[in-house]
Amino acid sequence: MSGATPKIRLRGLRKAFGAKQVLDGVDLDVPSGTSMVVIGGSGSGKSVLIKCILGLIEPDEGTIEIDGRDVMRLPRTERTALRAEIGMLFQNGALFDSLPVWENVAFGLMARRNVARGAARTHAEGVLAQVGLAASVGGLWPAELSGGMQKRVGLARAIAAQPAILFFDEPTTGLDPIMGAVIDGLIVDCVKRLGSTAVAITHDMASARRIGDAAAMLHGGRIVWSGPAARLMDSGNPLVDQFTHGRREGPIQMALRG
Amino acid sequence: MNALLDGLAALGRGAFAACRFAGALTLFALAGVSHLLRPPFHLRAFLRAFVEFAYFSLPVVALTAVFTGMVLALQSSTGLSRFSAESAMPNLVVLSITRELGPVLAGLMVAGRVGAAMAAEIGTMRVTDQIDALTTLSTNPMKYLVAPRLLAGLLALPLLVLVADILGVLGGFIIATVSLGFNRAIYLENTFNYMTTQDVVSGLTKAAVFGFVIALLGCYHGYRSRGGAQGVGAATTSAVVGASILILAFDYVLTELFFAR
Ligand SMILES: Nc1ncnc2c1ncn2[C@@H]1O[C@H](COP(=O)(O)OP(=O)(O)O)[C@@H](O)[C@H]1O
Ligand SMILES: [Mg+2]
């Protein structure tokens, strides 16, 4: 396992917004076929990290390799082709509210291939079924859906093109615990079915243990711990321990004061 | 001395900011236009933007034009009667409307309606990550969001102004014949005898430029908005104010180009 090229390899990733150093040398390997959860406090730069890997934010320094290829050095056409291999579930869904649900789900398909709208809708309804939504939902508008349904539609849109890599940004935030468990279940099912490599961001510990094989903690702009997701609750790392157990006292608070 | 230097420094900063804005806006416009020339083309997005721009602005533009024509007839009749030149009134109305008031007033009204809506829609898409989502779905947001709107603005405003020209003249005609006692046939004859193609074409050219400017400012400020609902609100305001000022500035420049020789 150790010799294989990781699906995603980050080295020395740095990104600052103005004077604020959000990422300060992130090193991370995500082996192929692994579901990695990244935990970390609000505002610790988890979303920025994912957006860097997606190419939505240009990092100041560092390398991002996917399948061993340096993404930022790739020519534009190959970068675009690589994008088609990545699905993303955004933190707040980011559904296109000017398009009906089915067009949201089929959007990537219609953008990449010249698919007739009828066929695209049929395909979208098939994907909606995979996330437990009836075909009739396809005709609704995003604003007509509950939060849980919006997450499902966002998930459907992310998996529609059967991507090799999936990103989930706080998939259960804002949902009740039961709906959160349902969405986690769907995520695990989808990732298994597609055989994808997944990176999920969360600060919901129950969710982290349900989704993840491996886990890493982002703090102070760096990965301060990584290991099996099963070890999250007894990692032996004081930063992780404080975070996963939700303690008020500990090194993280001291870091905030300092 | 210090106050003078401070003043100069502020002036310099202002000029610098203005240049930077003009540069960024120009680059944005070029990027948008370049996507109009390269496939794939988003026909549906264009049609939606066009209908939003043209069809839904019709009532506002039509009302503005009719009332402007009516007021123009009233004002010019009282003014011209001092020189016993009432017969010049039809000509004055049609020239003012086609050359100047049609495009400018329609442009300003549409800037308030469509420019604001574009900035709000694209701004909301920005702050809710929908623009990032487009990118992850293999769609260039400049091509999908901006280019179709620029083209819609370029084509839709001339159409609207054509309608405004007709309705503006009609407004003048109604006031002249109903309350000022003009003969209908003579009024119409005077209107069309003195109107040249250049009057109408210059007005429609202005309209095309104004339409492009409205869409450009709406897209630009929306695209660059930051920071939630407040950021979107600020983008909307900037889009309307910026487009209005640019419309008036371009109106002057284009009038120079067309009529001053
Ligand atoms: N586009 C941006 N411009 C400026 N600051 C940003 C931008 N995106 C994120 N930030 C800042 O980076 C920090 C990390 O944000 P984020 O990655 O969204 O946190 P989280 O870990 O909660 O997902 C925040 O302080 C945020 O203000
Ligand atoms: Mg986040």
Side-chain angles (χ1 to χ4, degrees):
Chain A
M1 201 58 208
S2 58
T5 319
K7 189 78 183 171
I8 304 169
R9 179 204 289 269
L10 310 179
R11 284 295 174 269
L13 212 59
R14 293 165 63 87
K15 177 72 192 175
F17 293 105
K20 185 166 186 171
Q21 193 71 42
V22 177
L23 301 180
D24 194 9
V26 172
D27 300 330
L28 186 67
D29 285 348
V30 185
S32 193
T34 309
S35 290
M36 163 81 74
V37 289
V38 178
I39 61 171
S42 301
S44 60
K46 305 183 297 295
S47 297
V48 170
L49 177 67
I50 280 200
K51 285 181 180 178
C52 282
I53 305 175
L54 281 166
L56 298 170
I57 294 178
E58 198 80 11
D60 302 330
E61 264 178 65
T63 56
I64 300 165
E65 284 175 19
I66 292 180
D67 289 324
R69 295 192 301 167
D70 186 342
V71 179
M72 283 175 292
R73 298 258 173 83
L74 288 180
R76 187 199 287 254
T77 48
E78 281 184 52
R79 244 177 124 163
T80 313
L82 190 68
R83 284 237 172 81
E85 291 292 300
I86 305 179
M88 166 80 178
L89 173 58
F90 283 86
Q91 187 162 348
N92 50 21
L95 298 178
F96 306 129
D97 38 32
S98 59
L99 298 177
V101 166
W102 78 264
E103 269 192 76
N104 266 279
V105 176
F107 196 94
L109 186 73
M110 291 195 290
R112 278 170 214 131
R113 281 175 252 148
N114 215 350
V115 187
R117 289 172 66 78
R121 179 159 192 167
T122 310
H123 176 83
E125 285 169 357
V127 184
L128 284 172
Q130 291 175 26
V131 296
L133 291 176
S136 59
V137 175
L140 299 177
W141 296 92
E144 295 175 303
L145 305 177
S146 67
M149 281 165 98
Q150 287 187 359
K151 287 275 179 186
R152 287 184 198 229
V153 174
L155 180 61
R157 189 174 69 178
I159 63 168
Q162 311 197 318
I165 301 176
L166 276 163
F167 290 116
F168 305 100
D169 194 348
E170 302 199 13
T172 56
T173 301
L175 300 179
D176 65 72
I178 298 172
M179 186 54 77
V182 170
I183 296 290
D184 285 340
L186 285 171
I187 287 177
V188 171
D189 288 349
C190 291
V191 171
K192 284 235 176 70
R193 186 160 6 92
L194 298 172
S196 313
T197 306
V199 177
I201 284 175
T202 186
H203 42 216
D204 171 353
M205 282 311 119
S207 173
R209 274 171 293 152
R210 279 191 295 253
I211 300 175
D213 313 324
M217 176 158 172
L218 183 67
H219 178 72
R222 291 159 176 272
I223 300 292
V224 291
W225 176 85
S226 63
R231 294 285 311 276
L232 271 173
M233 300 310 284
D234 59 343
S235 62
N237 180 308
L239 289 164
V240 181
D241 268 0
Q242 186 192 349
F243 190 83
T244 54
H245 293 99
R247 296 198 195 100
R248 277 202 298 174
E249 299 299 322
I252 294 181
Q253 196 173 24
M254 294 201 302
L256 280 178
R257 279 191 201 131
Chain B
M1 188 63 202
N2 263 344
L4 186 68
L5 282 180
D6 283 352
L8 279 176
L11 203 67
R13 271 196 299 274
F16 187 66
C19 289
R20 220 172 38 182
F21 172 73
L25 193 64
T26 309
L27 286 181
F28 189 84
L30 289 177
V33 170
S34 80
H35 280 293
L36 283 176
L37 311 174
R38 284 177 289 149
F41 305 110
H42 294 285
L43 185 64
R44 260 171 189 281
F46 166 73
L47 289 177
R48 209 170 74 86
F50 187 83
V51 168
E52 172 66 25
F53 205 113
Y55 184 73
F56 292 112
S57 302
L58 262 179
V60 180
V61 170
L63 282 174
T64 310
V66 171
F67 283 120
T68 307
M70 288 162 68
V71 170
L72 213 52
L74 273 182
Q75 287 282 20
S76 55
S77 84
T78 55
L80 292 171
S81 65
R82 293 184 199 157
F83 310 103
S84 313
E86 291 97 329
S87 62
M89 196 250 268
N91 189 25
L92 193 144
V93 169
V94 74
L95 280 194
S96 316
I97 294 275
T98 53
R99 281 183 176 196
E100 195 59 44
L101 294 175
V104 171
L105 290 181
L108 293 177
M109 296 306 284
V110 173
R113 216 195 73 81
V114 181
M118 280 184 185
E121 187 181 358
I122 297 182
T124 303
M125 291 186 74
R126 167 62 75 198
V127 301
T128 58
D129 285 340
Q130 290 179 52
I131 294 186
D132 283 346
L134 280 175
T135 309
T136 66
L137 295 168
S138 307
T139 301
N140 187 320
M142 287 297 286
K143 185 180 276 299
Y144 181 74
L145 294 176
V146 177
R149 283 174 171 79
L150 294 181
L151 185 64
L154 189 76
L155 298 179
L157 199 58
L159 267 183
L160 285 169
V161 166
L162 207 57
V163 174
D165 286 351
I166 295 166
L167 291 179
V169 170
L170 181 72
F173 174 78
I174 290 169
I175 291 297
T177 55
V178 173
S179 69
L180 300 175
F182 271 78
N183 176 297
R184 288 183 199 175
I186 295 177
Y187 187 96
L188 286 181
E189 206 184 305
N190 279 352
T191 296
F192 292 116
N193 278 352
Y194 293 102
M195 188 181 77
T196 67
T197 316
Q198 201 206 4
D199 295 327
V200 178
V201 169
S202 72
L204 296 184
T205 310
K206 282 181 177 180
V209 173
F210 299 168
F212 184 84
V213 164
I214 291 166
L216 177 64
L217 272 281
C219 292
Y220 176 82
H221 286 290
Y223 206 79
R224 295 174 55 118
S225 60
R226 286 266 129 71
Q230 202 186 359
V232 176
T236 308
T237 309
S238 307
V240 175
V241 173
S244 305
I245 291 174
L246 276 184
I247 283 174
L248 295 174
F250 273 113
D251 184 43
Y252 168 75
V253 173
L254 291 170
T255 306
E256 277 278 358
L257 284 179
F258 272 113
F259 298 107
R261 32 191 113 169

